[in-house]
Structure formats: C-alpha cells, structure tokens
Amino acid sequence: MTMEHTDAVPGPSTKSSLYALSPHVKKRNAKEARFKAIGIGAILIGLVFLVILVTQIVGNGASAFQQTRIDVELTVSQEEFDSAEKSSLKTSKYRGILENALLVTIQENGIETPFTKGKDIRPLISSGAGNTLRQHLLTHPDQIGEPFKFNVLTNGTVDGYLKGRVSRESIANDKSINEAHLELVDTLKDSGVLRKGFNMGFITGNDTSDLRPEQSGFGQSMLGSLAMMIVVLLVCLPISVGASIYLEEFAPKNKITDFIEVNISNLAAVPSIVFGILALAAFIQFGGGTLGFSALRNSAPLVGGLALSLMTLPTIIIATRASLKAVPGTIREAALGLGASRMQAVFHHILPLAMPGILTGTIIGLAAALGETAPLLMIGMVAFVQMDLDSVSGFFSDPNVGMPAQIYIWATRADGAWYERAWGGIIILLVFLLTMNIIAIILRRRFERRW
Amino acid sequence: MPGLWLVLIVLALAIAGYVIGRQRALQSGGGNSRALHSLPRFYGWNVAIKVLLPAFIWLAVWSLVQTIIVEKTVSGIIPKEEITIGLEGEDLDLALKVIDANHSLRMAEMRRTAEGLNYLIAADLLTEDEAQNLTLDKVDVEKLLKDAGQVVTGEIIAPVLKASQRKLALDKRADIMKSIFIIGVALAFFIYSVLQSHKDYRARNSVEFMILGLLVLMACIAILTTVGIVLSLAFNTVEFFSIYNWTDYLFGTTWSPRSGAGTHQPLGLLPLLWGTLYISIIALVVAVPIGLFAAIYLAEYASPRVRGFVKPALEVLAGIPSIVYGLFALITVGPMLLDIFGNSGIGIMPGARSVMTAGLVMGIMLIPFVSSLSDDIINAVPQYLRDGSYGLGATHSETIKQVILPAALPGIVGAIILAASRAIGETMLVVFGAGAAGKLSGNPFEAMTTVTAKIVSQLTGDADFTQPEVLVAYALGTTLFILTLALNFIAQRIVNKYREQY
C-alpha cells in the first residue's frame, strides 16, 4: 500500500519545492511588507512636516536679521540744531534735515532723479529716523557743525522691496510711495549708497508703533522672558524638589497623599489658558486689586512668572520624582545602616545622586514655560514698552512683554513687514529653546548613571 | 528700603543665632562634640530656623493684614458718588456694579499715586511733609509724577490725592510698628532657642521636624493650585450666571457678544463647543494614524540607529511652541488650502482661516504626542508575548496586529484621549488658524471658533468685569476645565481598569 504524498499536501498540486513560496505565504509576506511600508510612511510624513516647518521658519524669518540702510553724509549747523530743538515738532524738523542731506548725497553721487525737494524722497526713509538723528546729536554734541556720516534706516516698504516682499504691482494703490521712488531705490542700491546690513536693532530694540516695522526689535521681550524665567526657576525648583522629596521619601500611604498625587497628575493635564485665568483672578484681581499688592499688576513679569510657575510645577515634580525613584534603595539602606537619620540619608546621599535628573527636568520644564503664550495674553503681558531698566523691582513688576507674546502682537498686525518680524522672533525663541534642550541632553548624557 | 532692611536684620540675627547656638551647645558639653545629643551644626540650625520661620510668617501675615486694613480705611475717602435713586431690579444691580468698578479703578489710581509720591520722596524730589501737603490747586501732581517717570493712567482727583496721602501716612506708621514687632518676635525666638542649646537638647530631631513641615507645605502647593483654579473660576462663573440665564448659555445656538448689550445678548456655548470638537476630531484623524504607525515602526521595526535619529526629531516637533504652529497655519497652510478649495479652486472655502486649517496643523502638532506615548506603551508589552506569537508561525505584522496591539489597546486609547484633551485645550493655534465667529456648520472649510479662542478674545483688551460678555470667559474656562478634567479622568480609568497584568 502506497501513500501518495502529493495528495496530502494542501494547496496547489503543482510541483512545489520548499524554496518556492506558496501564494498564501506570498500574500502574508506582502501584507507584512505593506504594514512595514505604512510605518515608514508615517515616520516620513512626520519628518517631512518637520522639514517644511523649519524651512518655513527660516525662509520667512531670516530676512528680519537684515535691514536696509542708507549712508548719508550731513552737517547739522548750530542754528539748525537750535531751531529744531525749539520747534514743537522736533522729530519732523530733524527728518527734514535728513531728507535734504539725502537729496544732496544723491546728487553728489551723480544719480539722475526727478525729485528736487527733500520732501519728495520722504517715503524712502523711516519715519523714526528723525528721532534717531536727534538722539545721536544729543549724545554727540561735538558733531554739531561738523560733517559726519549717518546711517539712516529706510522705510519698511523700501526694505520690503529689496527683500522681494513688495513689488511694483503691490504698491499700485499705495499713496505714500510710487514707482519713481522704487527706481531711485534701485539706482541707489547699484551705487552702493543703499544696502542691506545686519540688523542689530532687531535683537536689542523694543517694539514700535505699527507704522514703523523697520525700527522694532525683540530685545525688550527677551528681558521680559528672562524676568519670568528667573521667577519660574526661583519658585519651581525649591517647591518641586521639596514636594517630590516629601511624596517619594516621607509621605505615608494614606488618603491625603493619594489626593495630592491625583491633584498633581490632573494639574499636568489642565490647559495652559486656565492657568492664565487663575493668574488673572487670583494674582491680579484678588492679590493686586482686593488685597492691594502693587507689584501684582497687569502685564508684570512677576505675575507672568507666577502663572507659568504654577503651570510648570507638575511637570517638574513628575520629573523630579522619577529621578528620585531611580536612585536605588541600597543607597538609602546603606546610609541608614551607618546611622544617618532619614533626613540625612535623603539630603546627603539620595538628592545629590538625583540632581542631574532634577536639573534636566527643570530645564525642560523651563523651556516649555518659555514658549507658552496663552497665560501671558490673559494677564495682559502684551504691553507696549520702551527699553527701560532702572531698578530691580521694576524689572519684575513694570509692564513688559514676553517673547511669545511679542510674536503674537506682531502676527496680529497682519502685514508682511510684521510677519517677517514675527518669524524672526520665532527664530530667536527657537534658538533659546534648542539651547536649553541641548543643555538638558548634555547634562543627562554626562551625569546619567545606570545602576 | 525699610522692608529690605528688616529682612536683612532678621537674617543677621539668624546667622548670629547659628554661631551662638552652636557655640553654647559645645560649651555645655565641655567643648567635646561627642558629649552632645546631636552634631553641633544642628544646634546652630535649630536657632537659625527658629528665628527665621516665625519672623517671616509674621511678616507675611502682618503685611497682608496691614494692606487690607489700610485699603479699607482709605477707601472711605474716595466717594462712591454715582446716584442710584429711581433704579430698581436688574438695572439697580448693574448700576451698583458699575459704581463698584469705577471705585476700584480710582483705588488703583490712588495706589499708583501713593507709589509715585513714595518714589518722589525716595528720590529726594519731595520731603515727606511736602508730599503730605500737596494740593491739586497749587501743584500739578500729574505733571510732577509724569516728569519723574511715574505711570499716571487716569485723572488724579482731589479725593484720590487725599486718600493716597492718607495711605502714605498710615503705611509709614504701620511700617514702623511692623519693624518693631518683627524684630521683637525674632529676638524672642532667638533668646528662647539659644537657651535651648544645651548638650541634652535633641536639636537634630527638632530641626528635622521643622524641615519635614516645610516639605509638607511644599507638597500642598499642588492642592492650593487646584483650589485656586476652582475658586477663581467658580467665583466669576457664579457672578456670570447671576446676571445671565444658564440655559441660554448652555443650550444657546448663537454666539455674538456685543459690548454694552447687557444681559440680552446671545452667548450660546454650542457653536464654540462644536468648533472645538470639530477641530479636535480633524486633528485626531490626522495625528492618531500617523502617530500610532510611527510608534509601531519605531518600537518594533526600527534599528537602534534609526530610532536614535527619528525619536529626537519627532520630539523637536513636540517642543515647538504652539504659537509657531499658529503662524504656520495662518501664513502657510491656510493660503495653501485656499488655493485648492477656495474660490479659485473648488470654491467651498471662503477664507484662509478654517476648521480644516487649524485641525490639520493641530494634527501635525499632536503626532509626536501620540507617538511617544504609544511608543512607551508598546515597549511595555513583554517580549514573551512576541516570542510566543513568532513561535506559532505568525509574521511580524500579524504579531503586532493580533498580539501586541490588543495587549496595548487600553494604554493607546488612554493616550488618544489625552491627545484629545490636549486638542481641546490648545489656544494659540486656534486663535490664528480657526477664525473668530462662532458658527454651527458642517463644512470643515468654514471659519469657526473655539472655547479657548473666545476666552482670549473676551478677556483681552479693556475688559469691563461687570459685563456678561466679559464674565462669560470664566464660564467658558469652567467648561474647558471640566471637559479636560473629565477626559483625563476617563483616560486614567481606562488605563487602570483594562490594563493587562503580565
């Protein structure tokens, strides 16, 4: 009796070897490959979004670090200075002086222009240039009556023209500037009188009224953010370390401890804007209004810092507890065995070992707080302020803006020149965030211990 | 700055206490630290903490009480002059609120004036007597303050100036009393704890007990924050519902606040809630598949090198602030969608801001959130489940689909709910991407608005906190808080209840 093996094999009856895959297996393998491809696709989509975002940010914002300026040689006589200082429209007098000087410069360079009066080329220079000249002369009184070189900011539209944001078509409806001006700009650029240069004012300056985008800067908001970060660090680090030590090392297992833990994990999920409402109601309306603490007022970095602190606390507490937990129990037992008290075991042995982890968590928490906007809007940290640092208490309690709030303000002005500023601000903000995260990563790599 | 001096004096006392306490304990043990109960430094700390703690607690309490009392005393000087005769019912309530609001504005002006005068005195521009005798008919106080670089926002009227002068005088007297009292407290505790410093005194236990107390206090900040949130939301929400019908808010289908329209304006929650949910759903539709598949690939297929590169890259996406995404939505994604679906294309998209714009970008923003949470959860599935599946002949993808995902499902569902809670609470992105008008529409290419965006728009600017269109922001905040808390709670319950016990 012979068994025909081929009949017993399921599937196709054709001659098959172990090396040739059956259609069923092929189907399964194809499914496998498809599944893997979907996974790769998902990751690629994520990375592509990242690349698009970064190119958008850099492409739109890099030009904010360049600004168009004109070199003008001028002499302001003592009489001109005196009459301008006496005038009630000081800055426009100085602006007139600049306009005339610019016209002279143009003619000296042998550039043909239809403009014959200084007033005609007013659209070329920034409306804030007169004040800049005045400040320059007030700080350098020895230059009155002497010829000196002055670097004049051009108007935002001219700047936009050189950066490709403004074209001849787009100014068709603009009454303040016309094509002849742009032609003059072209020739000035060719002769090297007008050129783009690094924009230091953007990094050090403060916000300006919405007519002068060319003059506005991000510096003030960096100071505001610095003040807030100092508050967040001073509030969060001690409190989160203290709270974590208690919960990790001392807290008895009971209802109250559970309640605290539930509270912390829930607070971590509360939207940031709710913390803004809390700050508005508790700090500004109750603390500043009802109780009358004058440091707790609208737009103060102190209030912003406190709001961000409350928001960041749960994050840092969770990170701190994780790094305390990562220190092995043997360390504690050894310390206790040698006669240390529980407090000594924690503060002399466990805490130092957990410190790198705690610092990493704190830096990452600070970075998150630095980019947060919504709570700042709630407490009115969108103040229009001049750069002014006269006292430490003023640094924390005078109205100010934060970096993300400044970006918000610029973005809401809804104009190409302001969008450019907003993206430029984003670049600076991201540089800070990136630096903080890199520091955190280095800390973690350098001091991380595997037990 | 007398406040600073007071703190410095107390600090100096504490430092002196540390040295003296330590010394005294050592002396009582005959200079031999072994004869003491605790290490010598604990005796020092015992004195220092006992000087600092009560002094600072009293300082805080005193300052609080002093501000309240001075405000109360002074507020009588500023009259509530508005006339309410002939008003009844709702109108009377509203009028009283307006009077209160005006009064508190004047109080704020009074505080600023007092501060300004204080500054002038500190800068030697005025003597104290001159400041007390300033009158409006002789001196232009506003100009005086402005010239000194002080903030003057309103008009300084005579009662405001008088009240601020009274506040200065009261504060000055109270500050002297405060200084004497605080230094007295510090001295009393100094003497008491120095006398304690004897070799048999259990200084370590005492110090550790006080530190433990401090730690407990810090742990309670979390509870305090929650209480603060609940109170600040509750007070104003109750205030809102006292002037506005709660059914109109909860079930109203139109949202169009007008300033000054009083209680008869449509402030319906439903359009905002609909916008919020619509955007969140689109965001989840984008983020969940991409994030989940990215997590599966990273956890199951990727080599350590790929993982080491992709994971941080995705985390960068998570670390970018939401305002950047907002601008990205407004300037890049919105116009791009408008090209395709706008009037030049299909013609169903009226403007760059839309539910789709905000939803898509929010989806991108949530990808790393979903993927990193899911990644952790998939990694937590034990290896022997995989090995068992391979042993039975399953392919890699079959193992993932039929073994790993079911095991990880509760965690993944939890992660998705957390992502939803994130999406609902997101603010800056929708402020820029979603639009400003509340609308109940099914077309995802129309502009709608969300709860968070409206909280921002109702509370920023010159908000008058007596008007329903401003107070509604607190009701919206409460709604948002309850919604996110509930989602968080559900996520935790699902994870805890259905978690596989390996």
Side-chain angles (χ1 to χ4, degrees), chain B residues 147-475:
Chain B
D147 286 349
Q150 297 296 297
V151 187
V152 180
T153 48
E155 190 194 356
I156 300 178
I157 54 170
V160 167
L161 181 65
K162 210 171 145 230
S164 63
Q165 287 164 335
R166 181 103 180 94
K167 177 175 155 67
L168 276 189
L170 283 175
D171 269 341
K172 201 185 161 219
R173 261 212 337 252
D175 278 342
I176 294 171
M177 275 156 63
K178 177 171 81 179
S179 307
I180 294 171
F181 177 73
I182 298 299
I183 293 174
V185 167
L187 265 178
F189 274 94
F190 178 83
I191 294 166
Y192 168 70
S193 53
V194 164
L195 288 180
Q196 275 182 335
S197 304
H198 184 264
K199 70 181 169 63
D200 293 331
Y201 180 67
R202 300 176 163 215
R204 183 174 58 76
N205 305 35
S206 152
V207 167
E208 290 187 349
F209 180 74
M210 288 186 284
I211 290 180
L212 191 65
L214 267 181
L215 295 183
V216 173
L217 211 67
M218 287 167 171
C220 288
I221 296 274
I223 297 181
L224 275 182
T225 311
T226 313
V227 171
I229 290 178
V230 170
L231 282 185
S232 57
L233 286 173
F235 264 120
N236 290 297
T237 307
V238 168
E239 180 94 9
F240 171 66
F241 285 127
S242 73
I243 56 173
Y244 197 85
N245 194 345
W246 65 273
T247 48
D248 286 354
Y249 168 73
L250 270 188
F251 305 112
T253 53
T254 28
W255 169 270
S256 64
R258 291 184 304 275
S259 75
T263 57
H264 305 294
Q265 50 184 326
L267 298 171
L269 171 68
L270 290 182
L272 308 187
L273 209 55
W274 169 242
T276 306
L277 294 181
Y278 206 168
I279 291 173
S280 306
I281 288 167
I282 293 177
L284 290 182
V285 167
V286 174
V288 169
I290 298 179
L292 196 53
F293 271 107
I296 290 171
Y297 185 83
L298 282 180
E300 295 292 323
Y301 289 103
S303 63
R305 255 186 62 206
V306 172
R307 204 180 143 82
F309 165 72
V310 172
K311 225 177 141 85
L314 286 182
E315 272 166 17
V316 169
L317 215 48
I320 293 176
S322 64
I323 187 163
V324 181
Y325 285 102
L327 221 54
F328 181 61
L330 178 67
I331 295 178
T332 312
V333 178
M336 203 181 75
L337 287 175
L338 197 60
D339 277 347
I340 306 170
F341 300 100
N343 287 331
S344 54
I346 301 176
I348 49 170
M349 190 173 176
R353 294 175 186 225
S354 73
V355 169
M356 190 53 95
T357 315
L360 276 181
V361 179
M362 197 186 283
I364 298 172
M365 196 179 83
L366 290 179
I367 290 173
F369 188 77
V370 175
S371 80
S372 78
L373 279 182
S374 313
D375 190 23
D376 293 345
I377 293 155
I378 291 171
N379 274 329
V381 175
Q383 185 62 31
Y384 60 75
L385 287 183
R386 292 183 186 88
D387 295 343
S389 173
Y390 298 147
L392 288 172
T395 65
H396 207 153
S397 64
E398 285 161 356
T399 306
I400 293 167
K401 277 185 277 193
Q402 286 159 23
V403 177
I404 297 175
L405 285 186
L409 196 62
I412 291 173
V413 171
I416 293 172
I417 294 176
L418 282 184
S421 139
R422 264 283 177 94
I424 289 172
E426 176 49 52
T427 310
M428 293 324 292
L429 205 167
V430 292
V431 165
F432 282 116
K439 209 180 283 175
L440 275 169
S441 157
N443 180 0
F445 293 101
E446 265 188 72
M448 286 177 222
T449 196
T450 67
V451 175
T452 49
K454 283 300 117 179
I455 295 177
V456 171
S457 72
Q458 298 313 106
L459 277 183
T460 48
D462 291 326
D464 177 356
F465 289 97
T466 58
Q467 297 301 317
E469 74 269 10
V470 175
L471 285 174
V472 70
Y474 291 100

Side-chain angles (χ1 to χ4, degrees), chain A residues 28 32 40 42-43 49 53 56 246 263 265-266 278 281 285 291 294 341 343 371 373 377 404 408 411 419 423, chain B residues 67 115 204 208 216 226 228 232 290 297 301 321 323 327-328 331-332 393 395-398 428 460 465 488 492:
Chain A
R28 286 174 68 198
E32 170 74 31
I40 294 175
I43 283 176
F49 279 138
L53 200 58
Q56 275 296 317
Y246 178 73
N263 251 307
S265 68
N266 278 338
L278 165 71
Q285 288 178 349
L291 296 183
S294 53
S341 69
M343 204 59 92
T373 321
L377 299 188
Y408 169 81
Y419 283 142
W423 287 110
Chain B
T67 350
E115 217 174 287
R204 183 174 58 76
E208 290 187 349
V216 173
T226 313
S232 57
I290 298 179
Y297 185 83
Y301 289 103
I323 187 163
L327 221 54
F328 181 61
I331 295 178
T332 312
T395 65
H396 207 153
S397 64
E398 285 161 356
M428 293 324 292
T460 48
F465 289 97
N488 192 36
Q492 277 173 359

